[in-house]
Amino acid sequence: MKTKLTLSQKAGLLSLGLLAVILLVWQLATLPDTHAAAANVDPEYAALMGGGAAKAASSFPTPGAMAQTVWDRLSHPFYDNGPNDKGIGIQLAYSLARVLGGFALAAIVAIPLGFAIGNSRVVYQAINPYVQLLKPISPLAWMPLALYTIKDASASAIFVIFICSLWPMLINTAHGVANVRKDWLDVSRTLEVNPLRKAFRVILPAAAPTILTGMRISMGIAWLVIVAAEMLVGGTGIGYFVWNEWNNLSLTNVLFAIFMIGVVGMALDSIFGVLAKRVAYQE
Amino acid sequence: MTNPSTHPFLQVENLARAYPSPTGHDAVTVFDHVNFRIHKGEFVCVTGHSGCGKSTILNILAGLDSASAGNVFMDGREVSGPSLDRGVIFQSHALMPWLSVLENVSFAVKSRWPSWHKSKIRDHAMRYIELVGLKGAEHKKPSQLSGGMKQRVGIARAFSIEPKMLLMDEPFGALDALTRGVIQDELLKICAETQQTVFMITHDVDEAILLSDKIMLMSNGPHARIAEIVNNTLPRPRERSAIHKQPHYYPIRNHLVDFLVSRSKQFGALRDAPDAPSSPTVFDPEDLIEAEIDPVVHLPPVGKPHIHLVNA
């Protein structure tokens, strides 16, 4: 008897199938090729390195080794053995703190400013050239300037997050505010609603979905940029962790970090997805 | 009762609106020399072809738009901006989709009486929601309502602030005929209860006859004007099912349809004549019956006061 599967059951099975294929290919690609390794290694180098020379050829981890690392690291996420050896939880917490700090600052600036820009054609036209000029600049290009002026590596990273989060929120807020349906504004005019009440009870809810989309884009970009920023400023954070493990030639840890960056990014995005649903309205 | 002709509630004097022409120098005058008065408790319908500026006049009365020339006085004061004294029912209902029915109406009530306590606002809003027959749907969002129900919320919201005057811009234009009939009946009932003064735009001749005390007919734009005013003296209370049996019903209806079909176009040529009347021609149903029998139209003498108050 054939049982009918729901759409999500089918998709789930397909996903699992894909995972199995990926793991199989990974396993096959990382099988220790001892014969070839032994043949290619210079005997003198092999003598100097002991067993290490042969192993170096397959330093890309097997799925099994990877799983072991993930398990070990996730079972002790918050240990701290000095600057070069911290748990993944601590590193992610540093990165998240920077992202949230820069993001919050950007929201504090961008949302009121976006309101002003969206409400007034004059302000819009006055500010638009600056936004257009500043928007395409890679946030990392600000890093030297930030380091010079702020003179603090961690604060500079926050500044870089601030700059990259600013534009999508600013543009979306202005766009959302400028495109509030005229009917709703007319209603509030005929009801003689005062400007503050109009801003919070009419314009803000009307523009909220657009503003939230801007915030979601900003958060996505901020999480992309923090990795690069922390590779530059060093010290702590998931970006620093990736670079440090690259210097340690621990591809297992690099892969693990990549995986965690993806997980956290996905979680951040889904938080904004939930928020977006809450402010959405159907006309 | 005070003599209404000396104290009109709403007085519109020489209203005109011009838009800059897209090609440059010459402005396009949509309407000019628009004069009319509305008395307290009167229900006035305006009809005319698209582009004659009906909606612009309504928006000027609402204070949402401004005139190029002329004045609007309400209750002896000049209208210079939107006010809670004038409630507006928009064709597109203009409900805020993120608020429930009750919240939409409460928003208006709170705007009118900011110092009221929450529970008082709620009770007041609920009274008007019940009035339009939406009790039980007060927690629904507009998107969960049918077009007719949305417009009822719009009506409840406009009535809830107890405005001195109600402005309606084709409120039922987007509704199907059955729903429209039901809501017209309700509006008729509510207006009778509240003695509301109403200015309403409609394209529907039957709707105008059913609801109004006075029907203003606008000629075609540009340079549109109120060309004729028909006093609708059909007795109240009016019943949709019986109104067409009234002796004056068809003369009025034919007169309105004839205007929309032919006279609205001709007026443009007439008004440039040196002896063109500066105020609209006023028709009473009696005149119209005569006109039916006798093909020669008996125009009332020029200079006759252009407002008739018949059994107001």
Side-chain angles (χ1 to χ4, degrees):
Chain A
M1 279 298 289
K2 258 180 93 176
T3 49
K4 286 266 178 195
L5 293 174
T6 65
L7 185 86
S8 49
Q9 280 172 326
K10 281 184 199 165
L13 282 177
L14 191 59
S15 279
L16 285 175
L18 268 174
L19 181 66
V21 170
I22 292 166
L23 288 175
L24 185 70
V25 170
W26 183 359
Q27 179 72 42
L28 291 176
T30 52
L31 277 181
D33 191 355
T34 42
H35 179 72
N40 288 334
V41 174
D42 179 35
E44 208 173 330
Y45 176 63
L48 277 168
M49 294 297 285
K55 264 202 283 174
S58 61
S59 65
F60 200 88
T62 60
M66 191 64 222
Q68 184 63 43
T69 307
V70 171
W71 176 252
D72 289 347
R73 290 219 152 252
L74 285 185
S75 45
H76 305 285
F78 295 112
Y79 72 88
D80 188 352
N81 297 337
N84 280 336
D85 193 8
K86 291 187 206 300
I88 192 74
I90 293 181
Q91 303 288 26
L92 283 171
Y94 273 111
S95 299
L96 276 172
R98 288 186 187 122
V99 164
L100 294 181
F103 181 83
L105 284 175
I108 290 166
V109 174
I111 293 173
L113 191 61
F115 249 79
I117 295 174
N119 261 326
S120 155
R121 295 294 303 170
V122 177
V123 180
Y124 177 85
Q125 294 213 357
I127 292 187
N128 194 38
Y130 295 101
V131 174
Q132 294 307 327
L133 179 75
L134 295 172
K135 189 179 61 166
I137 297 171
S138 164
L140 292 169
W142 293 97
M143 187 62 96
L145 216 57
L147 287 169
Y148 176 77
T149 46
I150 305 174
K151 297 186 174 65
D152 177 88
S154 195
S156 298
I158 292 172
F159 175 77
V160 167
I161 295 303
F162 165 80
I163 281 287
C164 76
S165 311
L166 192 65
W167 312 117
M169 277 196 266
L170 184 68
I171 291 164
N172 269 49
T173 305
H175 184 76
V177 169
N179 287 291
V180 172
R181 266 193 33 204
K182 196 174 167 291
D183 283 348
W184 302 331
L185 298 177
D186 281 348
V187 167
S188 32
R189 284 177 67 196
T190 56
L191 293 175
E192 296 185 65
V193 177
N194 70 51
L196 207 64
R197 186 155 177 261
K198 186 165 99 179
F200 281 101
R201 294 293 306 276
V202 181
I203 298 175
L204 189 63
T210 323
I211 296 174
L212 221 87
T213 305
M215 294 175 83
R216 196 172 179 179
I217 297 169
S218 282
M219 184 49 91
I221 295 175
W223 191 243
L224 291 180
V225 167
I226 192 66
V227 174
E230 285 172 345
M231 283 180 178
L232 283 174
V233 298
T236 48
I238 192 73
Y240 167 73
F241 178 80
V242 171
W243 201 248
N244 198 32
E245 294 306 321
W246 162 239
N247 286 334
N248 293 341
L249 272 181
S250 170
L251 289 184
T252 318
N253 280 338
V254 170
L255 272 174
F256 171 65
I258 288 172
F259 176 67
M260 289 313 293
I261 292 168
V263 169
V264 173
M266 197 171 79
L268 288 174
D269 191 65
S270 55
I271 289 170
F272 279 92
V274 171
L275 291 177
K277 236 182 207 155
R278 289 182 72 172
V279 298
Y281 54 82
Q282 203 187 339
E283 278 187 50
Chain B
M1 202 172 151
T2 54
N3 182 1
S5 59
T6 53
H7 292 105
F9 176 66
L10 183 99
Q11 183 156 5
V12 175
E13 288 176 353
N14 265 318
L15 208 65
R17 183 72 157 93
Y19 288 99
S21 120
T23 50
H25 30 281
D26 274 347
V28 176
T29 304
V30 184
F31 58 82
D32 54 8
H33 301 287
V34 167
N35 294 288
F36 62 89
R37 295 161 176 207
I38 297 176
H39 297 288
K40 202 147 187 78
E42 227 176 1
F43 196 125
V44 175
C45 279
V46 185
T47 192
H49 287 277
S50 303
C52 70
K54 306 181 295 289
S55 291
T56 311
I57 292 178
L58 184 132
N59 283 337
I60 293 168
L61 298 189
L64 295 171
D65 204 340
S66 50
S68 311
N71 305 86
V72 177
F73 297 96
M74 192 179 90
D75 237 1
R77 283 213 305 270
E78 178 149 25
V79 168
S80 57
S83 155
L84 281 158
D85 288 341
R86 276 157 283 129
V88 184
I89 297 178
F90 299 86
Q91 181 178 15
S92 60
H93 62 76
L95 300 178
M96 301 187 195
W98 56 89
L99 299 179
S100 69
V101 169
L102 179 60
E103 287 166 336
N104 264 293
V105 180
S106 300
F107 181 77
V109 176
K110 178 142 176 76
S111 306
R112 183 76 176 87
W113 296 283
S115 59
W116 275 15
H117 190 261
K118 241 185 187 158
S119 61
K120 192 171 183 191
I121 290 174
R122 194 196 141 91
D123 292 346
H124 186 89
M126 275 311 293
R127 213 170 72 229
Y128 283 91
I129 290 170
E130 279 171 39
L131 195 65
V132 296
L134 281 181
K135 195 180 180 193
E138 66 266 24
H139 295 301
K140 287 192 173 156
K141 293 275 164 72
S143 59
Q144 296 168 283
L145 303 178
S146 68
M149 288 164 94
K150 282 181 203 166
Q151 199 50 278
R152 284 182 189 172
V153 182
I155 292 170
R157 180 173 63 184
F159 273 93
S160 73
I161 60 168
E162 294 172 2
K164 291 181 181 166
M165 184 172 185
L166 202 58
L167 304 166
M168 296 196 257
D169 189 355
E170 286 186 63
F172 313 131
L175 304 180
D176 66 89
L178 282 174
T179 314
R180 194 186 311 165
V182 174
I183 300 188
Q184 282 167 358
D185 286 342
E186 281 171 8
L187 184 68
L188 208 54
K189 199 183 77 202
I190 299 171
C191 287
E193 279 170 22
T194 54
Q195 286 295 305
Q196 185 70 53
T197 311
V198 183
F199 178 90
M200 172 167 160
I201 294 174
T202 179
H203 277 128
D204 184 338
V205 168
D206 295 305
E207 180 172 276
I209 299 173
L210 180 69
L211 298 174
S212 71
D213 299 308
K214 197 157 87 183
I215 302 162
M216 302 199 291
L217 299 167
M218 285 190 76
S219 60
N220 291 358
H223 295 282
R225 293 186 176 180
I226 293 176
E228 298 180 7
I229 294 175
V230 175
N231 286 320
N232 181 1
T233 53
L234 297 185
R236 290 180 187 272
R238 294 174 188 159
E239 288 287 335
R240 169 184 313 287
S241 52
I243 193 168
H244 61 278
K245 291 177 187 144
Q246 296 285 341
H248 290 160
Y249 180 82
Y250 279 105
I252 294 176
R253 193 176 193 285
N254 292 345
H255 184 84
L256 299 180
V257 172
D258 284 347
F259 178 87
L260 291 174
V261 171
S262 50
R263 292 200 305 282
S264 60
K265 297 192 227 28
Q266 296 155 2
F267 191 79
L270 270 176
R271 64 174 285 277
D272 292 327
D275 56 345
S278 62
S279 54
T281 324
V282 180
F283 293 92
D284 285 320
E286 291 76 22
D287 308 330
L288 301 175
I289 287 183
E290 273 177 59
E292 284 271 299
I293 301 160
D294 183 352
V296 181
V297 177
H298 289 267
L299 293 180
V302 179
K304 188 177 170 182
H306 61 274
I307 298 299
H308 282 227
L309 217 89
V310 189
N311 64 353

